[in-house]
Amino acid sequence: MRAFRVEPAEAGAVALVFDHPARTINVLDETALTDLNVALVEVEGLKPAGVILTSGKSGSFIAGADLQAIGAITDRDRVLELIQLAHGAFNRLAALPYPTVAAIDGVCLGGGTELALACDSRIAAQEPRTQIGLPETLLGIFPGFGGTTRLPRLIGLAGALDLILTGRSLDARRAEKLGLIARAVPGAWLMDYAQQRLAELAKRPARRRRDAWRAKSLPSWLLDGNPLGRGLALSKARKATLERTAGHCPAPLAALGVLQKAQGKTLEAGLKLEAEAVSDLVIGPVCKNLVRIFLLSERAKKEPVADAAIKPQPVRTMALVGAGVMGGGIAETVSRAGIGVRLRDLNPAALTHALQTARGLIDERSRRRRGSARDGDAQMAKILPTLDLTGFGVCDFAMEAVVEDLDVKRPVFGELEGRMRPDALLATNTSSLSVTTLAEGLQHPGRFCGFHFFNPVHRMPLVEVVRGPRTSDATLVSAVALARKLGKTPVVVKDAPGFIVNRILMPYLREAMVLLEEGYRLTEIDASMREFGMPMGPFEVLDEVGLDVANKVAGVLSKAFPDRMDAAPALDALIAAGRLGKKSGRGFYRHRDGQRLPDPKMRELLGLKRARQAPSPEILSERMVLAMINEAARCLEDGVAADAGLVDLAMLFGTGFPPWRGGPLRHADSLGLAKVESRLLALRAERGERFAPAGVLARLAAAGGSFTAIAG
Amino acid sequence: MSVSDCWILSGVRTPFAKSGTAFKRVPAYELGRIAVAELLARHDLDPARIDEVILGNCAQPAEAANVARVAALRAGVPESVPGFTVHRNCASGMEAVADGALRIRLGEASLVVAGGMESMSQIPLQFSFDYSDWLESLMRARQPLQKLGVLARFRPHLLAPRITLMEGLTDLTCGLNMGQTAEGLSREFHIRRERQDEFALMSHQRTVAARERLREEIVPVFPGPGFEMVRDDVGPRDNQTLEALAKLKPFFDRRNGTVTVGNSCPVTDGAVALLLGDEAAAKSWSTPPLGRLRAFAFAGLSPARMGLGPVHAMAKVLARAKLTLNDCELFEINEAFAAQVLACLEASQSEAFARAELGRDRALGAIPLERLNVNGGAIALGHPVGASGARLLLTILMEMRRRNARRGIASLCVGGGQGAAFIVERDA
């Protein structure tokens, strides 16, 4: 069976149906591109009145190019060959002498959008499932199947720059507004409107059949209709891109380069520029890292975590115990997924605060037009605060989020077991306590697991689902399904101190504090890590999280790994002085009006000597990054996560580790494990045992191996 | 075909808060939502087991047609469970219970949520018809000159709002405001200002003394936008005095009146939800049911004397149940106005009244003050019109349980000239 088939449609037209036989969603892999050529030959033979490009997969159009292949391919000539194959087929479609319309229903991304752009006109189903965009730059490349060349001709340069450089996708309504599609129509009438569009196109003279950009007003002509305006748009876009990516991402800049060079050139010339530049990017490390992370996150979102026959238990209502620091955020995230929340706290003021937090987050979404006021009110109505345990008996899932204290948490689970249904699941949001210890004393430990959100809950995509030794497969499957329903990326971890993220973060933060004690400047230490690509420096993170919270985690980890995570005296000293971070106005920094200011008092308090100048930021960041890499290797060695991919994914989604570096283990691989080991050994001699290389790192380095395969 | 008695299994209410205070920004359907959701939560009840949701509401917010349905869905009641709103003015909350009871008695439902809700804070101001005509002509004007012409016809008085709260509290057929009907009764039964004020003081004192007891029927609410907890009724005054009451000017008849805002019920927000069940539901219920509905009756009378509704309704329901007032141990008469409650007490003892208006040869009987509204009433804690009827039933049943009483009667007067009375029983 071929990926494209030709079917008769109404009024002498034909439907060109993409229905990939080997996949559940359409992907433009090599087979598909070859089959497209074959199908187009057939169409040419039929000489129909028009062609409607559509998908044979219900509810989705084309998801894009074959990412597995992009992740694996290393030969530039081969990449170029594939791109030329696509260009050939797309040009052939564009050259058909009869009207062509793409009828889009469902996801239409990357290569799918580029294929649609090769048609004369496009319409799309105005349904929530429809998403049209060119997300290539998010994967370290840019649209190479003609999109970069064709899009500005359809919607103008300014619009094209926006879509290509941000990689954002549009719903049908917005796509219509931008001119990317001719019309957003109800999904049920899609084919009828496609026929109507064909008839409209047929009335146009052959030379002007194709939808194209035209200046609709003076401002649009000033911006887009003349070389001066276009030059301005390009330079503005370049500035914004450099600001956003700090120059770490080559793809948007390469796209800008192609768009600039293609100005005033023919379509063929543009396509050639596109093909060459994209080929360079595809074989580059950033593309490989980003594609790998994307595939890993898809895996985390879909792959079964236990026997696939075990069906997750649906969660309609959740009991949430503890309206403290994270309670409001968790309640908002859970209620947004349509799940009712029975929010319990003994302290009315805590409930008030949690409700205010949730309302604030909801209002912020509606201010950004991500939901109506009515939706917001309905979501808020799903959160039902209480001082007692009423209503818990109908809840399917209980989440404990009270203070991090075993003696406080234990009795909570006793109460929960007394009130919840026997088949309801129990989870703890602990970040530092042992899930195994918490499970002791439970009557049914099989239904218990860890479910560790990250702060701020609404923004952080990661959930560490902690599997205790007695957690049942059914519980694990349900917890993972819940995390996915909440729109989070679950990573299943073993119950070990600090799980993945906090465990790897702690030696890194410790090293930052050691650097501070050695006399380096706070701001320089933070700046060095921001330069490395972290969204915040270590002290900024500490102030944000709260020094008391961090110290609790540090205490647990120093007990577990005394050889390398001894207690942090700096934290104790600042906490004793009442400096808890941003929430108390002072921590490592002084916080005023949302700004962080250096504070000489902090240096005084910690008894720091005269500030010392670092010869280069890398001197600072190297030690902190190596501390992270080494601990990540140990996590892998101890089996906290199943493989290196999950460790990297957790660090990316849990801490904002720079995506283009692919995670700590991937970063180690690209540095070269032999070099990493020798630097660790040198630091161990200089700075102490904490830098002793992890066993697995030493073994791999000796064998010339790596943590991660190129594509996985 | 009497299939089953109707049982009142349980009930909760929000605190009642004087309009413009704690629940100012909480719409009626949100108050109803909270009451219904908390009722279900208290009993860990799977909402799919409910057969019908019936809630009373008078002001019926424009954005929520069939406001009971909105409240039910937002409370997590499944879409497959039907629901409707009832309106019998001040008796709407009782009408909801009556409707549920009829369905249960006929065997057409076994579990019904019935109650009422009202946000009198959110009763809107309206533009006049003159203004909407003017707006319409402005929209119709196409040419600039035409537009200018319409704009020139604008007069500031067009913006004068219609205060629908006041319109709602005025009877269209007799033209009297509710307070004016109370003034009428104070004259008819010669109830002086002092007696009214004394009664009002008693209402506050009893309500304040009952605060702890009332918490048994109230669920704490965290209303937006501040989400501070509200645990008790907002209205009862801890230090109300006769002197303070005496200082108030008559509100409805400034010159010769006796009815003041101090001896009337305040305009209030709140909601009540009761769970009604049939015999089988009551038997399998995890906690002892609050009680059983013995009989109910609604009666009609002159709109201008609507305050006497309770006497008419009690006479009717007692006859229906073949009982006398002496058979009842506890009484609730909704305190719309002190004058009106006192007039009811007079009328029920009057043989002349019984002959002339109730078709009986003997007076209905005496209602002793010490067994009437023992935990205070609407003068102190307010009268959210759509909810009060259900509140009276909840309050009397809770008190009957405390006293281990067998029978009580709850009644209220209804704007537009009606009365409602319900006899509830429990096995002592």
Side-chain angles (χ1 to χ4, degrees), chain B residues 10 24 132 158 213 266 374 394:
Chain B
S10 178
K24 187 176 175 183
S132 58
L158 289 176
R213 290 195 291 279
V374 293
L394 177 59

Side-chain angles (χ1 to χ4, degrees), chain B residues 124-145:
Chain B
L125 299 181
Q126 282 182 354
F127 285 123
S128 65
F129 286 118
D130 286 345
Y131 183 65
S132 58
D133 288 348
W134 180 82
L135 268 183
E136 197 187 327
S137 51
L138 184 67
M139 274 184 297
R140 282 197 180 170
R142 294 263 172 266
Q143 320 297 336
L145 217 63

Side-chain angles (χ1 to χ4, degrees), chain A residues 335-545:
Chain A
S335 58
R336 178 145 37 91
I339 297 170
V341 182
R342 185 65 166 165
L343 176 60
R344 191 263 178 133
D345 202 296
L346 295 171
N347 177 7
L351 289 169
T352 299
H353 180 74
L355 291 165
Q356 285 170 343
T357 306
R359 183 80 239 187
L361 292 169
I362 291 170
D363 287 347
E364 196 178 311
R365 286 179 66 78
S366 69
R367 261 200 305 280
R368 291 191 188 164
R369 294 172 197 275
R370 300 253 175 84
S372 65
R374 194 193 60 223
D375 293 342
D377 290 346
Q379 184 188 337
M380 204 59 208
K382 288 204 162 295
I383 306 172
L384 200 61
T386 181
L387 300 165
D388 53 35
L389 291 170
T390 55
F392 278 37
V394 287
C395 293
D396 311 292
F397 196 106
M399 178 88 67
E400 167 279 314
V402 301
V403 289
E404 289 282 282
D405 185 336
L406 198 62
D407 296 332
V408 181
K409 285 186 192 280
R410 272 256 180 79
V412 168
F413 287 106
E415 276 184 323
L416 286 176
E417 278 211 311
R419 185 88 191 202
M420 307 282 297
R421 279 198 324 259
D423 63 330
L425 305 183
L426 312 180
T428 172
N429 182 40
T430 186
S431 58
S432 58
L433 298 178
S434 157
V435 169
T436 316
T437 316
L438 282 170
E440 280 165 20
L442 284 182
Q443 286 164 29
H444 308 284
R447 60 163 160 166
F448 177 67
C449 68
F451 201 96
H452 181 214
F453 283 104
F454 289 78
N455 219 352
V457 178
H458 67 287
R459 222 179 287 145
M460 299 300 277
L462 182 68
V463 168
E464 286 175 333
V465 179
V466 188
R467 168 166 217 171
R470 299 207 274 175
T471 303
S472 73
D473 280 358
T475 301
L476 192 71
V477 166
S478 296
V480 164
L482 175 65
R484 288 169 179 163
K485 192 173 176 195
L486 301 182
K488 301 293 180 196
T489 307
V491 169
V492 176
V493 300
K494 200 176 82 174
D495 184 28
F499 313 127
I500 297 181
V501 172
N502 281 338
R503 172 166 168 184
I504 297 177
L505 218 44
M506 200 43 71
Y508 156 74
L509 298 173
R510 273 292 286 128
E511 202 54 35
M513 285 185 264
V514 173
L515 285 167
L516 188 70
E517 280 158 24
E518 286 175 17
Y520 294 107
R521 258 187 243 276
L522 186 77
T523 43
E524 278 179 31
I525 300 171
D526 273 347
S528 76
M529 283 317 298
R530 259 188 274 110
E531 193 148 317
F532 175 80
M534 298 296 281
M536 279 194 247
F539 296 108
E540 293 164 349
V541 168
L542 282 166
D543 270 9
E544 201 71 26
V545 171

Side-chain angles (χ1 to χ4, degrees), chain A residues 31 71 82 86 115 128 171 191 235 239 263 274 311 319-320 328 398 403 436 440 505 532 605-606 638:
Chain A
T31 329
L82 278 170
L115 180 58
D171 58 25
M191 289 312 276
S235 75
K239 225 172 116 189
Q263 286 296 306
E274 201 181 295
K311 291 281 163 269
L320 177 54
V403 289
T436 316
E440 280 165 20
L505 218 44
F532 175 80
L605 251 159
L606 298 183
D638 294 351

Side-chain angles (χ1 to χ4, degrees), chain B residues 13-306:
Chain B
R13 68 175 175 97
T14 69
F16 282 6
K18 209 184 277 189
S19 283
T21 64
F23 298 154
K24 187 176 175 183
R25 290 286 173 264
V26 186
Y29 46 86
E30 273 298 294
L31 291 169
R33 187 268 295 176
I34 293 165
V36 172
E38 288 289 353
L39 174 70
L40 301 176
R42 280 211 170 179
H43 300 284
D44 288 326
L45 183 66
D46 175 5
R49 283 185 56 200
I50 297 164
D51 297 307
E52 189 85 63
V53 178
I54 312 169
L55 297 174
N57 180 250
C58 292
Q60 311 227 352
E63 75 274 21
N66 191 2
V67 53
R69 174 70 171 160
V70 174
L73 290 179
R74 284 222 169 147
V77 173
E79 291 170 352
S80 55
V81 176
F84 62 98
T85 313
V86 293
H87 191 322
R88 197 197 277 272
N89 229 331
C90 313
S92 299
M94 276 187 174
E95 180 59 45
V97 174
D99 262 344
L102 290 173
R103 282 173 159 74
I104 286 170
R105 285 182 183 170
L106 285 171
E108 292 181 359
S110 63
L111 219 47
V112 173
V113 171
M117 58 205 156
E118 202 70 53
S119 166
M120 300 182 78
S121 295
Q122 297 208 345
I123 298 179
L125 299 181
Q126 282 182 354
F127 285 123
S128 65
F129 286 118
D130 286 345
Y131 183 65
S132 58
D133 288 348
W134 180 82
L135 268 183
E136 197 187 327
S137 51
L138 184 67
M139 274 184 297
R140 282 197 180 170
R142 294 263 172 266
Q143 320 297 336
L145 217 63
Q146 277 180 329
K147 274 197 180 153
L148 215 62
V150 177
L151 283 171
R153 285 208 305 276
F154 178 81
R155 298 287 176 277
H157 73 78
L158 289 176
L159 288 178
R162 291 176 57 186
I163 301 164
T164 52
L165 174 65
M166 289 315 286
E167 293 185 7
L169 291 173
T170 304
D171 191 283
L172 186 68
T173 52
C174 68
L176 295 178
N177 181 297
M178 292 304 122
Q180 290 165 334
T181 72
E183 286 288 6
L185 293 182
S186 77
R187 281 176 223 137
E188 183 180 340
F189 290 89
H190 202 74
I191 299 162
R192 285 208 300 268
R193 166 79 183 266
E194 293 73 32
R195 273 183 71 201
Q196 297 182 32
D197 285 351
E198 275 163 23
F199 188 85
L201 179 66
M202 185 184 75
S203 180
H204 280 278
Q205 287 168 340
R206 285 184 174 181
T207 310
V208 169
R211 195 163 276 153
E212 277 303 319
R213 290 195 291 279
L214 290 176
R215 280 191 181 181
E216 294 168 19
E217 62 188 60
I218 293 175
V219 286
V221 171
F222 294 76
F227 301 104
E228 302 280 348
M229 181 171 76
V230 183
R231 179 170 228 163
D232 296 308
D233 296 313
V234 183
R237 291 170 189 260
D238 282 311
N239 31 26
Q240 183 66 292
T241 60
L242 276 180
E243 292 73 42
L245 285 165
K247 274 190 200 136
L248 296 166
K249 285 233 159 62
F251 185 80
F252 302 97
D253 176 350
R254 299 242 160 219
R255 278 159 50 93
N256 300 315
T258 58
V259 179
T260 68
V261 292
N263 58 37
S264 316
C265 64
V267 176
T268 297
D269 309 330
V272 185
L274 305 175
L275 190 63
L276 312 181
D278 62 8
E279 197 84 39
K283 280 211 173 107
S284 62
W285 198 241
S286 54
T287 53
L290 280 177
R292 190 172 54 233
L293 187 57
R294 167 75 182 262
F296 63 84
F298 296 95
L301 68 157
S302 154
R305 295 167 78 226
M306 70 93 202

